[in-house]
Amino acid sequence: MIRPKSINPQFRAALFDLDGTLLDTEGQYSVFWGGIGREYHPAIADFAQRIKGTTMVNILATYFPDRDLQKSIIARIEQFEKTMDFPLVAGAEKFVKSLKTKGVKCAVVTSSDKSKMANVQRALPQFLALFDAILTAEDFAASKPDPDCYLRAAQRLNESPANCIVFEDAPNGLRAAMNARMFTVGLATGFPSAQIAPLCNVVIPDFRAAHISVDCVGSPVFKSDAE
């Protein structure tokens, strides 16, 4: 991974992971996938943690190659996502709104699929309307930690990677952002700060610690209370 040198970068586009970054949902997924792990892979004690940030296609191909079992697990996760809650991470909505007022393009870049996003859309239509683009698992070829998802998001917003800042919570996603050579902010919402700090440029507890200022020529600049 290559770390951009600036600690307060100018940027024109902000790219956000979804679960654990914008949505405080990782606890619910940990319960679901923890149960799946105990049922089918009891030898993998950290199963729920290990798969965070990866696409369903990757999870199924890696851990559940049997086609009938794949269909069963897909049906279970789809039913689970229809009934789960979608609370926002503290400060998320206010922070995204502040970006928009300063002319920053915003995109969601998630390993979730379109079916899941339909549930989020029903629950949070006004929040999702703040974003210029939403990329789901169907929009990129390789799962995080491959940088493909963030590179495609930059292309969708017509920006270079150097002009993008990424907000992520899980190790796989943080690696994807850093592999894309984008300034990366880690949120310690699901993993300890000490664990994710080596995988990003700066760590914040949530968006209440993140701020946007402008430089002398009016360009947005990221700052955090953690610096």
Side-chain angles (χ1 to χ4, degrees):
M1 294 183 295
I2 299 176
R3 292 172 177 268
K5 294 180 180 179
S6 173
I7 62 171
N8 290 324
Q10 295 180 356
F11 61 98
R12 296 174 183 160
L15 313 179
F16 297 84
D17 173 52
L18 186 65
D19 294 289
T21 300
L22 292 172
L23 302 182
D24 188 12
T25 49
E26 287 297 351
Q28 296 175 73
Y29 279 115
S30 292
V31 171
F32 175 85
W33 286 112
I36 295 291
R38 288 189 295 273
E39 184 175 350
Y40 294 104
H41 293 287
I44 305 177
D46 64 341
F47 184 80
Q49 295 288 91
R50 187 176 299 190
I51 65 171
K52 283 186 178 181
T54 58
T55 63
M56 178 64 73
V57 170
N58 182 270
I59 294 169
L60 295 176
T62 304
Y63 298 101
F64 307 100
D66 180 80
R67 291 297 179 88
D68 289 335
L69 181 55
Q70 288 181 357
K71 293 179 181 179
S72 173
I73 291 176
I74 289 172
R76 289 168 69 174
I77 188 65
E78 287 181 346
Q79 181 58 39
F80 175 77
E81 289 175 341
K82 288 179 181 178
T83 59
M84 67 185 293
D85 297 321
F86 298 106
L88 294 174
V89 166
E93 185 168 10
K94 181 179 180 181
F95 182 69
V96 175
K97 286 181 176 179
S98 73
L99 291 172
K100 299 301 294 181
T101 63
K102 293 176 175 61
V104 177
K105 302 173 187 176
C106 295
V108 173
V109 185
T110 177
S111 295
S112 297
D113 59 19
K114 291 181 179 178
S115 174
K116 152 69 175 296
M117 287 306 302
N119 295 320
V120 181
Q121 178 66 38
R122 285 191 290 270
L124 300 169
Q126 294 180 334
F127 179 65
L128 290 187
L130 296 172
F131 295 90
D132 301 284
I134 296 176
L135 285 79
T136 61
E138 293 87 351
D139 292 309
F140 40 90
S143 182
K144 300 173 184 178
D146 191 282
D148 183 54
C149 59
Y150 283 115
L151 295 174
R152 288 181 184 243
Q155 292 175 348
R156 181 80 63 88
L157 296 180
N158 198 29
E159 294 291 349
S160 70
N163 290 335
C164 296
I165 185 171
V166 175
F167 296 88
E168 268 278 4
D169 72 299
N172 282 326
L174 294 167
R175 292 187 181 98
M178 294 293 280
N179 287 337
R181 300 190 181 187
M182 297 177 181
F183 188 92
T184 305
V185 180
L187 279 85
T189 51
F191 292 83
S193 296
Q195 182 176 348
I196 65 174
L199 305 176
C200 57
N201 297 101
V202 65
V203 176
I204 57 175
D206 55 49
F207 288 104
R208 292 173 296 184
H211 312 284
I212 301 299
S213 62
V214 293
D215 63 15
C216 60
V217 294
S219 297
V221 178
F222 172 79
K223 294 185 178 180
S224 83
D225 294 339
E227 295 169 7

